[in-house]
Amino acid sequence: MNCTECQTKITSYPEEKPSPETLQSMKTHLQSCKNCRALYAASVWVDTFVTEEKRIKVNPFMTTRVMAQIEKQTALSPNSGLVRLLNPQVLLVAASIVLALFLGVSAGSFYQPATFTEQVPEEFQYLNDAGMESLTYLINE
Amino acid sequence: MNENELITSVLNGNTNAFGPLVTRYQELVFNTCMGFVHNADEANDLTQDVFIRAFEKLSQFNHQASFSTWLYRIAINTSLNAVRSKKSQLFQRMGSWFETENKAGFEMPSDQNLTPESLMLTTEQSALVQKELDKLSEKQRVAFVLSRCENLPQKEIASIMQISEGAVESLIKRAKTNLAKNISSYFKK
């Protein structure tokens, strides 16, 4: 077996598994060829790395994590209560109510009931009620 | 409930029906993400992102491909985006400027422990394999991850990558050759 054949077999593994005879001639070649041996060793390193990585398992709470995140997002989706409040129609109705209340309160504040404005003659302004004779006294007279 | 019934149920507003889909496919998505980022925490975060994206875009799933194929595509795109954004970070670039070449620094493993089962890679060796994996072109990397990390047949990889089976075979072969050649250059001669 030459280097090209050996290297092709190394890089084709595991898709193309060599026959026992090929494997034997590969082993013989690898013992004598440093370059092919290095290539084979590198392939084994890659295999080992992939095998080690595959041993790492996904977070056991992944489903819970994902569902919690989805729930959070759904709460902010266009159909959720909070976002529904930001709907233009809802906002228009709310603004109308606020405006009506404001106008009502303002109208109520500006209204002043009619007051008695007739001027009291000056001579009556200084009348001393205490000094006046009581009506009862005059009746008894 | 089968897969299609669960998908229909989610589309009809039953959010909880998405849970069994996550449970069923979490390993698949996690292993794919892990093949790109090589870090469990990052892969878990990406797995979550993939499922959230899948939930949001579920109405776009047209049943032309299987749900797993569709999920694989989302997982690959999400992972590649994560890898690209990581690469573009300034400190990453600065790190590579000051990176010292460690060529021809490793002893070649002896005959006795040259099997994946018996070999245990050191942190340095793992870092080297990871670095060389990251150097592969995106297409080679996707084909390699799906083939070696997920053990998918070439037909399915072709369907996921939307290329021919021949192209997949060639990508995997080139990826493995490049990896082996680049890593072997680190062995002491």
Side-chain angles (χ1 to χ4, degrees):
Chain A
M1 181 175 275
N2 61 28
C3 288
T4 315
E5 283 173 334
C6 185
Q7 287 171 13
T8 309
K9 292 288 172 199
I10 291 169
T11 52
S12 304
Y13 187 82
E15 287 82 17
E16 290 168 34
K17 288 192 173 115
S19 64
E21 298 81 40
T22 316
L23 208 61
Q24 192 50 50
S25 47
M26 269 176 83
K27 275 181 184 171
T28 317
H29 178 79
L30 287 173
Q31 277 166 359
S32 60
C33 178
K34 256 193 162 178
N35 281 341
C36 289
R37 230 175 87 78
L39 202 77
Y40 175 67
S43 300
V44 174
W45 274 25
V46 174
D47 277 352
T48 311
F49 179 81
V50 171
T51 312
E52 281 176 3
E53 239 181 34
K54 276 188 196 170
R55 284 199 199 113
I56 302 169
K57 294 288 167 206
V58 65
N59 183 330
F61 304 107
M62 183 52 72
T63 308
T64 317
R65 252 176 83 166
V66 171
M67 294 313 288
Q69 189 64 29
I70 286 173
E71 215 165 279
K72 218 165 143 189
Q73 286 192 4
T74 316
L76 290 169
S77 75
N79 295 323
S80 73
L82 186 68
V83 176
R84 208 183 301 147
L85 282 178
L86 298 173
N87 185 318
Q89 284 177 328
V90 176
L91 286 176
L92 195 69
V93 171
S96 311
I97 293 169
V98 170
L99 190 70
L101 282 172
F102 176 74
L103 288 173
V105 170
S106 304
S109 306
F110 288 126
Y111 172 74
Q112 283 183 337
T115 48
F116 183 71
T117 52
E118 197 179 327
Q119 285 290 315
V120 180
E122 204 172 333
E123 59 267 27
F124 290 119
Q125 284 181 13
Y126 303 107
L127 272 180
N128 181 8
D129 290 344
M132 286 176 75
E133 290 177 54
S134 78
L135 193 58
T136 324
Y137 175 77
L138 288 173
I139 292 166
N140 291 339
E141 269 300 301
Chain B
M1 258 203 262
N2 69 27
E3 194 174 281
N4 284 335
E5 285 169 345
L6 286 170
I7 293 167
T8 312
S9 182
V10 176
L11 290 173
N12 288 336
N14 178 14
T15 312
N16 289 333
F18 196 69
L21 289 171
V22 177
T23 310
R24 197 175 295 178
Y25 290 108
Q26 57 184 355
E27 289 285 342
L28 171 157
V29 173
F30 177 77
N31 287 340
T32 308
C33 296
M34 194 67 189
F36 289 93
V37 295
H38 316 294
N39 176 296
D41 289 338
E42 257 182 90
N44 274 314
D45 288 346
L46 284 177
T47 305
Q48 183 180 323
D49 290 350
V50 168
F51 281 113
I52 301 292
R53 198 174 288 189
F55 177 79
E56 287 169 351
K57 308 275 176 196
L58 198 60
S59 57
Q60 291 174 20
F61 173 58
N62 53 17
H63 296 270
Q64 276 179 356
S66 69
F67 184 67
S68 64
T69 301
W70 186 70
L71 214 50
Y72 268 125
R73 284 187 197 141
I74 300 177
I76 291 165
N77 288 333
T78 310
S79 303
L80 285 177
N81 284 339
V83 170
R84 283 180 204 135
S85 70
K86 221 165 122 184
K87 267 187 185 168
S88 66
Q89 283 170 6
L90 184 64
F91 72 90
Q92 288 279 336
R93 271 180 271 154
M94 285 172 73
S96 64
W97 291 340
F98 300 111
E99 195 179 344
T100 51
E101 281 295 309
N102 189 21
K103 287 264 175 190
F106 291 101
E107 290 290 345
M108 206 186 313
S110 64
D111 272 341
Q112 285 73 33
N113 55 18
L114 256 184
T115 57
E117 295 77 28
S118 63
L119 197 67
M120 283 287 284
L121 294 184
T122 63
T123 316
E124 272 186 323
Q125 290 164 345
S126 291
L128 169 68
V129 177
Q130 188 180 316
K131 191 178 129 189
E132 291 305 327
L133 265 169
D134 294 348
K135 276 188 195 168
L136 293 176
S137 73
E138 280 187 358
K139 279 189 174 181
Q140 283 182 22
R141 208 168 160 187
V142 171
F144 181 82
V145 168
L146 294 177
S147 143
R148 302 305 290 276
C149 305
E150 289 290 309
N151 293 327
L152 290 183
Q154 287 182 1
K155 195 179 174 187
E156 199 171 341
I157 300 174
S159 164
I160 293 165
M161 294 181 74
Q162 293 171 309
I163 53 175
S164 69
E165 279 185 60
V168 171
E169 192 181 349
S170 155
L171 282 172
I172 296 170
K173 212 164 223 177
R174 268 188 284 150
K176 285 199 291 186
T177 309
N178 288 340
L179 274 174
K181 279 190 178 160
N182 292 340
I183 293 168
S184 65
S185 68
Y186 286 85
F187 292 134
K188 284 177 184 166
K189 301 283 179 208

